[in-house]
Amino acid sequence: YSKNELAVIGISSHKSGSMTANYLKNGANDFIQKPFDIEEFYQRVIQNLELMEYIELLKDSATKDYLTGVYNRRYFFQLGVSEFIKATEKNNPIIVSMLDIDNFKGINDTYGHHSGDLVIKSLADLLKRQFHGKSHIVARFGGEEFCVLSFGLETDQYLERMEGLRLDFQKSEFRCIEQCFSATVSIGACKVDEIDMTSAIKKSDELLYAAKSSGKNKIVKNWD
C-alpha cells in the first residue's frame, strides 16, 4: 500500500524521547505512548482515517471530471501514455475511441443546461459500465466529448461493447418538466498500429468527424 492508502500508528511503552521521532521519520503517520487512554486511541485512528479520506478527495478532484466522475483530460494523458507504452511493449491490442453527443447544442438550447448535464452523465455512466477495470481508461475531454483507451480487446469484442453502448444511449429517455426527449452519440474508433497515442487520438477524431458527416449516430472505424 502507498502512504495514501494505509496509515501506520506506532505504539510503544519505551520511554526514549527519540522513539516518536524515529517512527515518524521512517514513515509512520502517528505515534501513541503507552499507557494511553482508550478514547485517545480511538480519536487517533479516526483522525488518520479522515486524513486519508481527505487525501482521496483531493486526488479525485485533481484527476476526475466533477460532473461525470470519469477521468479528466489532463489525467487521461498522464495515465494513458504510460499504459499505452506498456501495452505496446506487450503487443496487446489497443483501440482509441472518440465519442461526441449528437446535436448537443440543440439539447441545451431547447431543454436547458441542466438537461444537457443529465445527458452527459448518462453517457458517462454507460461508458463506465461497458469499459470498467484497468484495461480501459475513460475520460471526458470537455463539453459533450469523451475518449476511451482500451487494451487487450479484439476488434469484434470491442465493437460489440461500443455498439451496445450506442444502442443503449439511443434508447435512453430524458425528462424536462413535462417533455421527454432522447439523444444519440457518434463514435470514431481507431485500432492502433505502430503509432503513438497522440496520433491515435487524432485519427479517432478524424473518424468521429466522418461519423458526424455521414449521418451521425454511428461508429466509424479504421478496420474491416
Side-chain angles (χ1 to χ4, degrees):
Y1 296 94
S2 70
K3 284 195 70 174
N4 295 340
E5 300 170 307
L6 179 70
V8 177
I9 302 175
I11 301 175
S12 177
S13 58
H14 200 281
K15 299 302 181 184
S16 170
S18 63
M19 178 68 76
T20 302
N22 284 333
Y23 258 83
L24 298 175
K25 190 186 296 182
N26 284 281
N29 300 75
D30 205 346
F31 187 85
I32 303 175
Q33 188 74 47
K34 293 168 84 174
F36 53 82
D37 184 80
I38 192 66
E39 288 301 322
E40 178 191 5
F41 173 78
Y42 288 150
Q43 192 58 38
R44 296 286 188 99
V45 171
I46 290 169
Q47 284 179 345
N48 278 277
L49 288 172
E50 288 176 344
L51 180 59
M52 285 195 296
E53 289 173 0
Y54 181 65
I55 291 171
E56 189 63 28
L57 285 172
L58 287 176
K59 182 181 175 183
D60 277 353
S61 67
T63 61
K64 292 183 179 177
D65 173 62
Y66 74 97
L67 178 65
T68 62
V70 300
Y71 290 126
N72 58 36
R73 183 185 183 122
R74 182 180 62 82
Y75 189 68
F76 175 87
F77 282 98
Q78 181 181 330
L79 177 63
V81 169
S82 61
E83 294 300 317
F84 189 95
I85 292 171
K86 289 177 188 176
T88 303
E89 290 173 346
K90 295 177 181 177
N91 292 318
N92 284 340
I94 305 171
I95 299 175
V96 179
S97 304
M98 292 295 296
L99 301 89
D100 189 86
I101 299 170
D102 298 324
N103 306 312
F104 186 72
K105 185 178 184 301
I107 293 172
N108 274 341
D109 291 346
T110 305
Y111 304 104
H113 289 276
H114 175 69
S115 295
D117 286 348
L118 290 177
V119 174
I120 289 172
K121 286 192 283 188
S122 175
L123 180 57
D125 288 342
L126 288 172
L127 283 167
K128 285 186 282 188
R129 192 184 310 160
Q130 288 283 8
F131 299 96
H132 61 276
K134 294 183 179 180
S135 297
H136 312 284
I137 303 174
V138 179
R140 184 183 178 196
F141 264 31
E144 70 276 20
E145 193 172 54
F146 292 83
C147 187
V148 180
L149 187 56
S150 295
F151 308 103
L153 281 182
E154 297 298 336
T155 52
D156 57 340
Q157 296 174 307
Y158 167 85
L159 199 58
E160 182 180 351
R161 290 197 192 190
M162 194 60 86
E163 182 65 12
L165 176 143
R166 186 190 68 79
L167 291 173
D168 285 345
F169 186 65
Q170 180 182 321
K171 294 173 187 174
S172 299
E173 281 195 350
F174 306 96
R175 180 174 292 276
C176 176
I177 308 176
E178 296 182 353
Q179 290 181 293
C180 285
F181 67 96
S182 58
T184 60
V185 62
S186 296
I187 304 160
C190 172
K191 181 184 178 185
V192 175
D193 185 17
E194 296 183 358
I195 56 176
D196 60 79
M197 192 178 80
T198 303
S199 299
I201 291 172
K202 182 179 178 183
K203 179 62 179 176
S204 62
D205 206 29
E206 292 170 357
L207 294 166
L208 169 62
Y209 180 78
K212 291 279 192 183
S213 302
S214 60
K216 303 177 183 177
N217 189 25
K218 62 174 66 175
I219 302 171
V220 174
K221 58 192 189 307
N222 71 336
W223 67 85
D224 295 329

